[in-house]
Amino acid sequence: MSKLITIYGSPGSGKTLLSLALASRLALRKENVILVSSDKVVPHLKVLLPTVETDKSHSMGPLLLKSGLTQKQLIPKLVFHPDSSYLACLALAPGDTPISYPPLWEPANVMELLNVLSGLADVVLVDGMSNPAADSVTLTAMGVSERVICTLTPDRKGLEYLNAVLQLLRDEKYKTGKHIRVLSPVRETSPVNELLGIIEDVRFLLPYAAEAEERMLSGKLFKDFTRRPGLVLERRVEELLEELK
């Protein structure tokens, strides 16, 4: 399994849902995984762990304000899923606002964070932002990740997002030609065939599954799927994990 994986993509393409799905499947395999989100607009700690009591003392923000980060400083900020000691999350917390911290973290500080995290887990998953240029955690992680996943809504907006973001990622270090492209969430009415004829190298189609959204909202990531869309989504996530090896 790749050590560092970054997920980015168009708005509404299920980046966080996919991140949680991958993280929970890895945890079921007894792999230690840390899921990181740097979303400043919506502090994600309660999104990732809705049933866990957290406050601003758990925020990842202070870790990125200065250099010299150590495991001793970072470990207390990790919040574990109540149903698995293999899954921990790191994110901005309730009480953080879009102006709580600088618009962009220093890339050197981000690299220190990623390096320290990599020493603490089998897999580090970065749930990135739609606009990498506006988030140095996403952009820095994309430049050093072994694998990068690009999620795209199966519509015209997803196509135009891809055309625009590729212009921002021209530097060779981003290796956009190797990104794993995913259409998500695919509904029965989605114009998949038309898009597959336009967008190159789409590797996976992830179906819309209300059951997956229910699990995310309730925090019950390890509850078994019982309905077909969720079961199909689960199979696709397992296939994606195999691709990430």
Side-chain angles (χ1 to χ4, degrees):
M1 180 61 59
S2 300
K3 187 75 170 181
L4 178 61
I5 301 165
T6 299
I7 302 173
Y8 77 105
S10 57
S13 59
K15 296 181 293 296
T16 299
L17 191 150
L18 177 57
S19 298
L20 285 166
L22 290 169
S24 61
R25 299 310 297 176
L26 287 167
L28 285 170
R29 296 181 180 187
K30 296 185 171 11
E31 295 197 55
N32 292 307
V33 55
I34 299 175
L35 178 54
V36 182
S37 170
S38 63
D39 195 323
K40 290 191 179 77
V41 179
V42 180
H44 259 45
L45 202 51
K46 269 295 191 183
V47 176
L48 302 174
L49 299 167
T51 64
V52 179
E53 289 300 320
T54 53
D55 56 36
K56 201 170 180 179
S57 67
H58 299 102
S59 176
M60 69 177 281
L63 299 176
L64 288 163
L65 291 177
K66 56 184 179 181
S67 60
L69 180 65
T70 65
Q71 288 189 1
K72 185 178 180 179
Q73 294 170 317
L74 191 152
I75 289 173
K77 299 290 186 180
L78 297 177
V79 183
F80 285 83
H81 193 283
D83 297 328
S84 176
S85 61
Y86 291 96
L87 171 55
C89 296
L90 185 66
L92 297 183
D96 286 326
T97 74
I99 59 172
S100 295
Y101 300 102
L104 290 175
W105 309 112
E106 289 294 330
N109 293 356
V110 176
M111 275 303 307
E112 281 190 348
L113 175 68
L114 296 174
N115 287 334
V116 175
L117 287 170
S118 295
L120 292 171
D122 298 313
V123 180
V124 177
L125 272 172
V126 178
D127 176 20
M129 301 282 285
S130 292
N131 181 5
D135 178 53
S136 51
V137 173
T138 303
L139 195 62
T140 303
M142 289 174 66
V144 296
S145 289
E146 288 94 336
R147 304 305 298 268
V148 177
I149 301 170
C150 174
T151 59
L152 302 167
T153 52
D155 52 27
R156 190 75 202 186
K157 287 199 297 184
L159 172 60
E160 292 305 322
Y161 169 84
L162 180 63
N163 291 336
V165 79
L166 288 178
Q167 300 303 311
L168 299 174
L169 304 174
R170 291 179 174 177
D171 193 302
E172 293 182 349
K173 68 181 178 182
Y174 298 120
K175 303 184 179 104
T176 55
K178 295 185 178 180
H179 291 185
I180 300 173
R181 293 179 184 166
V182 175
L183 292 185
S184 169
V186 175
R187 293 175 166 83
E188 291 184 2
T189 57
S190 299
V192 172
N193 291 334
E194 291 83 348
L195 288 168
L196 293 179
I198 302 172
I199 302 175
E200 296 181 356
D201 300 326
V202 172
R203 305 288 292 279
F204 294 92
L205 306 178
L206 301 184
Y208 170 73
E211 198 171 8
E213 291 188 348
E214 292 163 11
R215 293 198 332 167
M216 178 176 165
L217 183 62
S218 66
K220 297 177 180 178
L221 299 181
F222 298 93
K223 181 180 178 182
D224 290 336
F225 285 107
T226 60
R227 303 195 292 272
R228 186 177 183 279
L231 293 169
V232 173
L233 175 62
E234 188 173 57
R235 287 199 296 271
R236 297 293 174 267
V237 170
E238 286 287 353
E239 292 167 3
L240 179 51
L241 281 173
E242 290 303 308
E243 179 74 16
L244 293 170
K245 283 185 175 180

